[in-house]
Amino acid sequence: QSPAPIQETELGPLPEEWRVVRLGEVVGKTQQVDPRKLPEWHFKYIDVSCIDNERLRIIGWQECQGNNAPSRARKVIQYNDVIFATVRPYLKRAALVSSDFDKQVCSTAFCVLRAKPHLILPDFLFFAVTRDSFVNAVSEHQRGSSYPAVTDSDVLREYIPLPPLPEQRAIAHVLRAVQQAQEATERVIQAAQELKKSLMRHLFTYGPVPVVGAQSPAPLQETELGPIPQHWPVVRLGEVVEKTQLVDPRKLPEWHFKYIDVSCIDNERLRIIGWQECQGNNAPSRARKVIQYNDVIFATVRPYLKRAALVSSDFDKQVCSTAFCVLRAKPHLILPDFLFFAVTRDSFVNAVSEHQRGSSYPAVTDSDVLREYIPLPPLPEQQEIARILQAVDRKIEAEQARKRALEALFQSLLHHLMTAKVRLPAEFIARFAQEVP
């Protein structure tokens, strides 16, 4: 089979049967309204803050009445419109309007794109204008420093590729299928995270006993932390961790080390996700705390953000910022894994956060962290609690890895299908030929 004929276009080489059009050629005019002239009208109002620019969807709205409508509430939207924010367009705040927002109102800070159905499909239009190349092209026209923006005309005069309708449908079908897999994975992650929160509450109240079953929990006692098993003592954190070492890397000018500051912590996955390669003679002034494998590092700056991690072997004998409290378990008293889970519970983080001082740089001291209470089960129970929670963490991490893989697949397909670097099989496209636009 010979390759399909190619034409040179404003967007690069594309198949001969594809057109290249300005966006304004394939979208219809939309309606503006002044809600203040309809004082009794109740409607949902969407501004740019209502858009999730990662998931590209509307995630909120404001309930309004005509007589108190915001001055920017002017553009009527319909089901299957695409709204594209013209303020800071590089942030890619765009969404395909769902039926929940049919005949509602959005801000004049959006360009409303209503597909001409005989030319372009709403789904394909949405994918075409959320590609990085389109967003970057629009962003080149932005003007203003305090309120950088483009006009609707800037958006409408940009070029997009326009395959025949059957191929648009096929491309949109494939991209939607990947998006649906992403959404399903997100739901699994959310459910697993909720399970972990429930398990944390259960395990730190009753110990490692079944949530439901014939076995009854151990007798409970009331403590500073609430009810816990009667045979568990409550201790201050400082009683179960060792003192750690400070170092001045500038006195070791040839020393090469990995430096971890608070920005290197992922506070959702609770792990170190980056570091800075340093040498002693140019070390940051805060690079002072030596860490070891299985230490727990707990950020004392804005502690409510829960930037904490269990140190992996990759960072053994490396250095972290003085903005961390380094917790090194006394092995005869507490297991590192249990220590990590104990100090990342919401109740512990909230208790520490109550001590923070300062407005521009709110922080606590190491002493504030070390004087907080934690429960201390016997080592075998600590091990079982950690094992249960680690199993849930592994499930969450596996699903997060799947989500990242699907995101990468989606971006790759979006680029390659929209530029025709990858073409869907003709027999697959033919399945979409008879669909009603």
Side-chain angles (χ1 to χ4, degrees):
Q1 185 179 356
S2 59
I6 296 296
Q7 59 174 321
E8 283 299 327
T9 74
E10 296 88 343
L11 299 176
L14 289 173
E16 256 186 9
E17 66 269 29
W18 287 31
R19 294 167 55 200
V20 170
V21 297
R22 292 190 189 274
L23 182 57
E25 297 175 47
V26 294
V27 299
K29 288 189 176 180
T30 56
Q31 180 189 0
Q32 294 217 30
V33 69
D34 184 351
R36 289 172 295 188
K37 294 179 179 177
L38 301 162
E40 301 304 314
W41 182 29
H42 289 261
F43 60 89
K44 296 174 182 174
Y45 170 61
I46 297 138
D47 68 10
V48 291
S49 68
C50 299
I51 304 296
D52 181 331
N53 66 343
E54 289 188 356
R55 298 163 71 199
L56 299 178
R57 63 182 59 183
I58 299 167
I59 55 169
W61 62 90
Q62 180 183 341
E63 293 284 350
C64 287
Q65 191 169 332
N67 59 4
N68 65 359
S71 60
R72 279 187 166 270
R74 289 290 185 274
K75 294 190 172 185
V76 177
I77 55 176
Q78 294 180 10
Y79 172 51
N80 268 341
D81 284 350
V82 176
I83 54 176
F84 184 99
T86 52
V87 177
R88 296 183 175 86
Y90 55 87
L91 293 178
K92 198 194 287 189
R93 288 176 292 197
L96 184 64
V97 174
S98 71
S99 57
D100 295 333
F101 300 100
D102 188 40
K103 305 294 191 298
Q104 304 305 309
V105 180
C106 75
S107 166
T108 53
F110 288 106
C111 179
V112 179
L113 306 171
R114 185 165 299 155
K116 292 179 178 177
H118 62 289
L119 293 176
I120 193 167
L121 303 174
D123 277 350
F124 184 87
L125 172 62
F126 170 70
F127 291 127
V129 302
T130 52
R131 292 172 302 138
D132 288 345
S133 56
F134 183 88
V135 173
N136 293 341
V138 169
S139 299
E140 287 179 6
H141 303 296
Q142 76 179 18
R143 295 167 288 277
S145 54
S146 60
Y147 193 75
V150 296
T151 64
D152 286 9
S153 297
D154 293 326
V155 179
L156 295 172
R157 71 166 170 258
E158 284 303 323
Y159 290 104
I160 63 166
L162 192 69
L165 284 171
E167 193 161 1
Q168 290 183 36
R169 290 190 196 101
I171 289 170
H173 175 83
V174 169
L175 293 173
R176 278 289 177 215
V178 179
Q179 282 194 328
Q180 286 163 3
Q182 286 178 276
E183 290 164 5
T185 303
E186 286 172 3
R187 289 193 292 271
V188 172
I189 291 170
Q190 188 175 11
Q193 288 171 336
E194 289 302 316
L195 171 64
K196 182 181 175 183
K197 286 180 183 177
S198 296
L199 278 173
M200 291 273 273
R201 287 191 293 269
H202 176 83
L203 293 168
F204 278 87
T205 301
Y206 300 107
V209 296
V211 177
V212 177
Q215 183 179 350
S216 59
L220 300 182
Q221 58 175 322
E222 282 298 329
T223 71
E224 302 91 329
L225 302 175
I228 63 172
Q230 210 168 61
H231 62 288
W232 291 11
V234 171
V235 297
R236 292 191 189 273
L237 181 58
E239 298 175 47
V240 294
V241 299
E242 299 176 349
K243 287 188 176 179
T244 56
Q245 179 188 0
L246 287 171
V247 67
D248 184 350
R250 289 172 295 191
K251 293 180 180 177
L252 301 162
E254 302 303 314
W255 183 28
H256 289 262
F257 60 89
K258 295 174 182 174
Y259 170 60
I260 297 140
D261 68 10
V262 290
S263 68
C264 299
I265 304 295
D266 182 329
N267 67 344
E268 290 188 356
R269 297 163 66 199
L270 300 179
R271 61 182 54 196
I272 300 167
I273 56 167
W275 64 89
Q276 181 183 341
E277 293 284 350
C278 288
Q279 191 170 330
N281 58 6
N282 65 359
S285 60
R286 278 186 166 272
R288 288 290 183 275
K289 294 191 171 184
V290 177
I291 55 177
Q292 294 180 11
Y293 172 50
N294 268 341
D295 283 352
V296 176
I297 53 176
F298 184 100
T300 52
V301 177
R302 295 184 175 87
Y304 55 86
L305 293 178
K306 198 193 287 190
R307 289 176 289 197
L310 186 64
V311 175
S312 70
S313 56
D314 296 333
F315 300 100
D316 189 40
K317 304 294 191 296
Q318 304 304 308
V319 179
C320 75
S321 167
T322 52
F324 288 105
C325 179
V326 178
L327 306 171
R328 186 165 300 154
K330 291 180 178 177
H332 62 289
L333 292 177
I334 194 167
L335 300 176
D337 289 326
F338 179 84
L339 172 61
F340 169 70
F341 289 120
V343 301
T344 53
R345 289 172 302 138
D346 288 345
S347 56
F348 182 88
V349 172
N350 293 341
V352 169
S353 299
E354 288 179 5
H355 303 296
Q356 75 179 19
R357 296 168 286 278
S359 54
S360 60
Y361 194 75
V364 297
T365 65
D366 286 11
S367 297
D368 293 326
V369 179
L370 295 172
R371 71 165 170 259
E372 282 304 323
Y373 292 103
I374 63 167
L376 192 67
L379 288 172
E381 291 183 49
Q382 292 182 33
Q383 188 171 24
E384 182 61 10
I385 289 170
R387 184 194 67 76
I388 294 168
L389 294 173
Q390 284 167 339
V392 181
D393 276 348
R394 284 193 295 272
K395 172 64 175 174
I396 293 171
E397 181 57 34
E399 292 298 328
Q400 287 171 331
R402 173 178 163 80
K403 179 184 171 185
R404 292 191 294 273
L406 286 167
E407 286 170 351
L409 174 62
F410 177 81
Q411 291 302 325
S412 176
L413 284 172
L414 181 63
H415 171 70
H416 287 97
L417 292 174
M418 287 290 191
T419 57
K421 288 182 170 59
V422 171
R423 300 288 300 277
L424 296 170
E427 59 273 19
F428 180 77
I429 294 171
R431 290 164 46 188
F432 298 86
Q434 301 306 315
E435 292 192 21
V436 178

